[in-house]
Amino acid sequence: MSFRTASLRLARIAGSKASTSAISKRALSALASSAARPTLKATTPIVGARGVKTINFGGTEEVVYERADWPREKLLEYFKNDTLAMIGYGSQGYGQGLNLRDNGLNVIVGVRENGASWKAAIEDGWIPGQNLFPVEEAINKGTIVMNLLSDAAQSETWPQIKPLITEGKTLYFAHGFSPVFKDLTHVETPANVDVILVAPKGSGRTVRSLFKEGRGINSSYAVWNDVSGNAHEKAQALAVAVGSGYVYQTTFEREVNSDLYGERGCLMGGIHGMFLAQYEVLRENGHTPSEAFNETVEEATQSLYPLIGKYGMDYMYDACSTTARRGALDWYPIFKDALKPVFQDLYESVRNGSETQRSLDFNSQPDYREKLESELQTIRSMEIWKVGKEVRKLRPENN
Ligand SMILES: NC(=O)c1ccc[n+]([C@@H]2O[C@H](COP(=O)([O-])OP(=O)(O)OC[C@H]3O[C@@H](n4cnc5c(N)ncnc54)[C@H](OP(=O)(O)O)[C@@H]3O)[C@@H](O)[C@H]2O)c1
């Protein structure tokens, strides 16, 4: 088949996939390892004292802040008069809350009494009446209110929460969603408080596990409202306190647009769609399930993607056979051209609030957990993922 024909076919397939795209659960963003490529000399000039560095990212200079800027003693001193009220105990509440507690900061958790999160918090050692409270009580005690409710719940509960965010407090988010799309969420933040965000680029489970390993998640931070004049510094300090290894600056708008876009694209939705398309074509052409899975997912996740994560895309090309290299070099522009219009549609759908509206509509339903579970059950029962379960058992380390 000529590349042109193939390209047209791909564009058609990509178009139909886009129109049937389903809401996926919150992204578990892939973490790029910071390991340096061993055979290459570093080309990134690093300038700056302490850990604050100006780094040339492929021609654009950006400042990053690192854990070295905020040693534990400095964090303890900086937040010595603060009570950090963590509202919500989902994935981020768990990761950020336990890291703050282990860092020795004065952190309390606020969740619905006797709900699933209340029980989970008790299992993790939070004590009712001591550092675990109903939401409103925790907000009243806090000087820094960390709103880590689900994005839909932030919108639902805002009428009760807003009057409690009084002058002198700081309001913290882990996503730009609520303030940026305020026309849809109705989260109109008070004008007389600092409003900041720290967005870890990964699941709260990873925020916790990397911290425990002595490593750190990469996060972005942003300032929506700087009343005190210290909002930037406070956000950088909080980013480190919750377990970030380094943090780069963004805006609330850029954070929410890139995050919603990324998780629907390469991080989750896009990659899932691509796996399914490749697997189905292999199966339709007579390949066995194990072969189709190995050639689609297992080799990707076990052999090739870790090389990209550790050393870069060029290194992965270098590490493959001349045959594989030639084919991939010929085909990547075809995939890119076919998929770019889908990504453009996706970005627009994020930017114009459609994705936010869809998320609010779905996740505000009282039975959203049951509905989500039924969609996940559909994924679980797909042949490809059932095959994956068996293939993983065959890995020697799982025997
Ligand atoms: N997860 C990630 O990978 C990730 C990464 C970066 C940033 N973020 C952001 O971090 C924030 C929290 O996300 P998450 O994934 O940790 O949390 P989540 O699982 O989406 O939300 C869980 C929390 O919301 C509470 N909740 C839900 N509905 C409620 C209601 N009507 N009233 C009161 N509480 C309610 C739950 O309490 P109950 O148990 O009582 O229902 C639970 O504590 C969001 O802004 C998200 O976008 C998430």
Side-chain angles (χ1 to χ4, degrees):
M1 183 194 307
S2 74
F3 287 157
R4 195 178 133 66
T5 318
S7 173
L8 288 172
R9 283 200 55 196
L10 269 170
R12 269 206 317 277
I13 293 166
S16 79
K17 288 278 169 211
S19 62
T20 55
S21 78
I23 285 285
S24 0
K25 71 171 193 176
R26 181 111 195 111
L28 309 178
S29 73
L31 274 178
S33 157
S34 59
R37 179 178 165 175
T39 51
L40 286 183
K41 265 175 76 180
T43 51
T44 306
I46 292 176
V47 186
R50 302 176 306 141
V52 182
K53 291 181 175 65
T54 301
I55 298 189
N56 186 327
F57 288 102
T60 302
E61 300 228 313
E62 290 183 48
V63 175
V64 296
Y65 304 85
E66 296 185 283
R67 192 153 51 196
D69 301 320
W70 288 95
R72 199 160 159 264
E73 302 66 41
K74 191 173 160 188
L75 285 176
L76 292 176
E77 176 62 26
Y78 193 82
F79 292 115
K80 69 178 179 206
N81 296 322
D82 281 305
T83 299
L84 282 69
M86 171 138 317
I87 308 306
Y89 200 72
S91 158
Q92 287 298 326
Y94 155 85
Q96 297 190 27
L98 291 180
N99 291 354
L100 288 169
R101 195 171 78 184
D102 286 356
N103 271 332
L105 298 182
N106 179 21
V107 54
I108 60 176
V109 171
V111 285
R112 289 192 279 209
E113 218 168 348
N114 297 320
S117 296
W118 180 272
K119 288 173 193 151
I122 291 175
E123 275 174 29
D124 291 338
W126 302 92
I127 302 167
Q130 193 172 314
N131 53 17
L132 174 61
F133 301 95
V135 172
E136 293 188 5
E137 202 176 335
I139 297 178
N140 284 332
K141 287 182 188 299
T143 55
I144 299 179
V145 178
M146 306 176 75
N147 195 334
L148 296 182
L149 296 176
S150 73
D151 294 308
Q154 289 179 21
S155 172
E156 257 175 82
T157 58
W158 189 241
Q160 292 83 54
I161 288 184
K162 184 175 181 178
L164 307 177
I165 311 290
T166 48
E167 194 165 354
K169 292 192 195 260
T170 296
L171 179 58
Y172 166 110
F173 292 97
H175 200 8
F177 192 99
S178 294
V180 170
F181 291 109
K182 56 179 185 288
D183 291 347
L184 303 171
T185 62
H186 309 297
V187 176
E188 192 77 57
T189 58
N192 59 350
V193 301
D194 285 353
V195 180
I196 57 179
L197 82 72
V198 172
K201 299 291 121 190
S203 148
R205 301 278 147 193
T206 321
V207 170
R208 181 64 179 155
S209 63
L210 288 176
F211 178 84
K212 286 210 295 196
E213 289 166 26
R215 298 163 66 197
I217 191 100
N218 43 329
S219 303
S220 60
Y221 90 89
V223 172
W224 182 256
N225 221 10
D226 186 2
V227 172
S228 67
N230 298 323
H232 285 265
E233 188 181 58
K234 205 178 334 183
Q236 292 152 16
L238 274 170
V240 171
V242 300
S244 308
Y246 73 90
V247 54
Y248 60 91
Q249 191 182 351
T250 185
T251 63
F252 271 62
E253 290 84 356
R254 290 206 314 259
E255 191 284 329
V256 70
N257 287 342
S258 58
D259 190 78
L260 295 179
Y261 173 75
E263 66 202 13
R264 281 153 182 74
C266 285
L267 302 179
M268 288 180 76
I271 201 73
H272 190 192
M274 189 137 154
F275 281 153
L276 291 177
Q278 170 160 323
Y279 182 89
E280 278 175 27
V281 170
L282 284 168
R283 293 288 289 127
E284 284 155 17
N285 283 281
H287 296 268
T288 61
S290 67
E291 184 167 68
F293 189 85
N294 269 287
E295 286 296 340
T296 302
V297 181
E298 192 70 353
E299 183 171 344
T301 60
Q302 301 307 297
S303 170
L304 300 183
Y305 295 175
L307 292 181
I308 303 173
K310 266 195 165 171
Y311 306 126
M313 186 62 86
D314 56 336
Y315 183 93
M316 190 203 67
Y317 272 92
D318 262 357
C320 290
S321 72
T322 48
T323 312
R325 204 184 292 160
R326 183 69 263 140
L329 286 168
D330 289 341
W331 277 87
Y332 87 77
I334 298 168
F335 280 104
K336 198 201 91 171
D337 291 348
L339 291 172
K340 194 162 170 192
V342 181
F343 279 99
Q344 283 165 329
D345 285 354
L346 169 58
Y347 193 86
E348 182 50 24
S349 181
V350 167
R351 201 201 49 75
N352 67 23
S354 304
E355 296 300 312
T356 295
Q357 187 62 59
R358 175 136 170 80
S359 171
L360 288 171
D361 290 346
F362 186 86
N363 294 320
S364 302
Q365 294 171 31
D367 58 347
Y368 84 93
R369 281 198 170 98
E370 291 76 22
K371 286 187 170 150
L372 170 71
E373 180 50 31
S374 123
E375 287 190 74
L376 294 182
Q377 190 50 44
T378 306
I379 292 178
R380 252 173 246 133
S381 56
M382 284 176 181
E383 182 188 279
I384 181 173
W385 303 120
K386 286 204 284 201
V387 173
K389 215 168 156 187
E390 298 311 311
V391 169
R392 286 193 293 280
K393 284 187 204 156
L394 291 170
R395 293 182 198 156
E397 69 271 24
N398 292 341
N399 279 331

